[in-house]
C-alpha cells in the first residue's frame, strides 16, 4: 500500500511513517517543516527505498495536485496541523489557515485525484483529529463518536471545523473517508513544548516544573506508537464514513502524571532528586478544559484494537528516551517560543 502522510515530520505523523515503512508500506511524507517538524524524527526510515519526502505546505493547492499526480497514493493519512493550544490562544490565524483551509485543500486535491483515477473503491482519506473537539467533561462520563462537538479553544475549534469538512466531503461528494479522534499522545520525539517533555527537561535542568492551575485537569494518555498502530489499522480496515475514538485507557490528573515522571527521573537520573520538589503551580490558561476521557469501545469491538502500553510503562520509556537523546532535543530548545510561557491572553 502506498500511503500519503501529511505532517509526517511531526510527532504523531513521524510515528506513523516509521511504523508504516517498517511494515513494508510505501510512504510519501508531505510536510512544510514548520517549527515543530523535524526531519530527524524520520531518520530511521529516510534511507529506505519505500520512503519519499515532499516539502509542501498543505495551503498550496497546486503543489498538492502535483504530489498526488506524481506519487499516485492508495490512501491519504492527513495529520498535518497546528496543534499547540497555548500557541492558538496567542495566534489563532495560523490554526485556521492550516487546520481549516489546509484540510479543505487536501480534500479537494484528494477528490480531484480520486475522480481522475476512476473513483477506486479502495481509496481512503483518513483524517486524524483530537478529542478536544468534544469540549470538557465533568467528573464522570466519556466521549463517544456521537458526542456533540463543543470546542473551547482556537485550536480545538479549528480541528472541529476540519472534521466537519471531511464529513461533508463524504456526504456531498462521496469521497471515501474515515476519521479518528485521539486522546493526549506522549512518547519519543515529542516536541519540547508539550507537558511530558517539558516536565522531563525541566527536571533534568533543575528548573521549576510548571503545572497549570491546581493540576487537577484530567487527560487520557495514549502512547504514540500505540496510536500509530491504531491509525494504520483504521485506514486499512475502518468502515467508510465512520469515525473511531482512539484512547489509551489511562486517565490521570496532570499533577499525578507530573509526579510519576518525577519519580522516574529520581530513579533514572538521581542527580537533583527528589525532582517533585521542583513542581510549581502557575496561573491556568484561558478556557482550559477540565477533563477528557475516551470511550474506545467502537475500535475495540469492530477492529479488535486496544492499547498495549500502560501509562506507567510508557512514561518510563519516554523518560529513558529523552535522557539518552540530548542530540535530538537540545537543538530544538532554541526554536521560537520553546521554553516560554504562552497562551496567557484573556
Amino acid at each position: 500500500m502506498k500511503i500519503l502522510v501529511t505532517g509526517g515530520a511531526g510527532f504523531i505523523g513521524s510515528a506513523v511513517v516509521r511504523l508504516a515503512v517498517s511494515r513494508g508500506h510505501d510512504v510519501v511524507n508531505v510536510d512544510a517543516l514548520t517549527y515543530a517538524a523535524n526531519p530527524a524524527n524520520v531518520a530511521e526510515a529516510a534511507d529506505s527505498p519505500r520512503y519519499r519526502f515532499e516539502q509542501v505546505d498543505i495551503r498550496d493547492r497546486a503543489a498538492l495536485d502535483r504530489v498526488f499526480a506524481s506519487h499516485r497514493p492508495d490512501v491519504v493519512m492527513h495529520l498535518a496541523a497546528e496543534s499547540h493550544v497555548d500557541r492558538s490562544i496567542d495566534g489563532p490565524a495560523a490554526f485556521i489557515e492550516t487546520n481549516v483551509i489546509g484540510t479543505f485543500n487536501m480534500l479537494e486535491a484528494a477528490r480531484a485525484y480520486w475522480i481522475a483515477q476512476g473513483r477506486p473503491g479502495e481509496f481512503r482519506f483518513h483524517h486524524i483529529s483530537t478529542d478536544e473537539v468534544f469540549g470538557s467533561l465533568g467528573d464522570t462520563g466519556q466521549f463517544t463518536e456521537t458526542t456533540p462537538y463543543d470546542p473551547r479553544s482556537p485550536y480545538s475549534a479549528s480541528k472541529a471545523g476540519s472534521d466537519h469538512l471531511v464529513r461533508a466531503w463524504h456526504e456531498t461528494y462521496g469521497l471515501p473517508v474515515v476519521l479518528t479522534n485521539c486522546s493526549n499522545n506522549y512518547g519519543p520525539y515529542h516536541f519540547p513544548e508539550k507537558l511530558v517533555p517539558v516536565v522531563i527537561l525541566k527536571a533534568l535542568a533543575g528548573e521549576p516544573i510548571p503545572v497549570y492551575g491546581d493540576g487537577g485537569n484530567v487527560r487520557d494518555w495514549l502512547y504514540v506508537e500505540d496510536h500509530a498502530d491504531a491509525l494504520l489499522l483504521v485506514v486499512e480496515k475502518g468502515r467508510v464514513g465512520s469515525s473511531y475514538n482512539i484512547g489509551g485507557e489511562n486517565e490521570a490528573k496532570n499533577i499525578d502524571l507530573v509526579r510519576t515522571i518525577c519519580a522516574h527521573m529520581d530513579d533514572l537520573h538521581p542527580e537533583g532528586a527528589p525532582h517533585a520538589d521542583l513542581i510549581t503551580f502557575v496561573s491556568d490558561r484561558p478556557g482550559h478544559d477540565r477533563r477528557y476521557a475516551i470511550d474506545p469501545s467502537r475500535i475495540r469491538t469492530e477492529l479488535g484494537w486496544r492499547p498495549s502500553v500502560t501509562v506507567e510503562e510508557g512514561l518510563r520509556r519516554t523518560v529513558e528516551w529523552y535522557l539518552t537523546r540530548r542530540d535530538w532535543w537540545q537543538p530544538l530548545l532554541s526554536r521560537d517560543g520553546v521554553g516560554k510561557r504562552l497562551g496567557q491572553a484573556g
Side-chain angles (χ1 to χ4, degrees), residues 229-230 233-234 237 244 249 296-307:
D229 177 62
L233 180 63
V234 170
K237 298 184 178 180
Y244 296 88
E249 299 183 52
S297 58
R298 175 179 289 179
I299 191 171
R300 183 171 61 242
T301 301
E302 290 189 14
L303 304 182
W305 183 89
R306 68 184 316 153

Side-chain angles (χ1 to χ4, degrees), residues 36-52:
N38 189 349
N41 294 0
V42 291
E44 68 184 59
D47 292 333
S48 170
R50 296 189 176 279
Y51 177 80
R52 294 290 184 273

Side-chain angles (χ1 to χ4, degrees), residues 96-277:
I96 303 304
E97 292 166 1
T98 298
N99 299 355
V100 180
I101 303 303
T103 298
F104 164 74
N105 284 334
M106 281 298 302
L107 286 165
E108 282 292 84
R111 183 167 72 96
Y113 167 76
W114 176 62
I115 291 172
Q117 296 299 306
R119 294 181 169 84
E122 65 274 11
F123 181 80
R124 295 290 182 273
F125 186 102
H126 181 184
H127 178 64
I128 289 87
S129 190
T130 172
D131 60 357
E132 296 191 39
V133 299
F134 300 124
S136 185
L137 288 167
D139 293 337
T140 60
Q142 293 180 309
F143 298 134
T144 71
E145 289 80 1
T146 59
T147 297
Y149 277 35
D150 186 22
R152 306 292 186 89
S153 71
Y155 162 62
S156 58
S158 69
K159 289 299 290 184
S162 67
D163 290 10
H164 292 322
L165 287 175
V166 173
R167 289 190 172 92
W169 258 242
H170 173 63
E171 295 294 337
T172 302
Y173 302 112
L175 187 69
V177 308
V178 287
L179 299 90
T180 51
N181 296 80
C182 69
S183 58
N184 279 42
N185 280 225
Y186 69 99
Y189 299 101
H190 206 175
F191 192 74
E193 66 181 0
K194 300 297 182 77
L195 177 61
V196 171
V198 164
V199 174
I200 296 169
L201 298 184
K202 291 292 187 183
L204 184 60
E207 298 175 355
I209 298 170
V211 175
Y212 287 167
D214 62 1
N217 301 77
V218 175
R219 300 292 183 262
D220 175 23
W221 293 93
L222 173 63
Y223 194 60
V224 68
E225 293 175 7
D226 270 348
H227 188 198
D229 177 62
L231 293 178
L232 286 171
L233 180 63
V234 170
V235 80
E236 292 182 60
K237 298 184 178 180
R239 284 185 296 116
V240 171
S242 188
S243 64
Y244 296 88
N245 282 354
I246 304 174
E249 299 183 52
N250 285 307
E251 275 191 63
K253 292 182 179 179
N254 284 351
I255 186 60
D256 294 334
L257 187 89
V258 171
R259 286 174 176 148
T260 298
I261 295 170
C262 288
H264 288 309
M265 285 292 297
D266 291 348
D267 185 32
L268 298 168
H269 185 79
E271 182 180 348
H275 292 91
D277 288 350

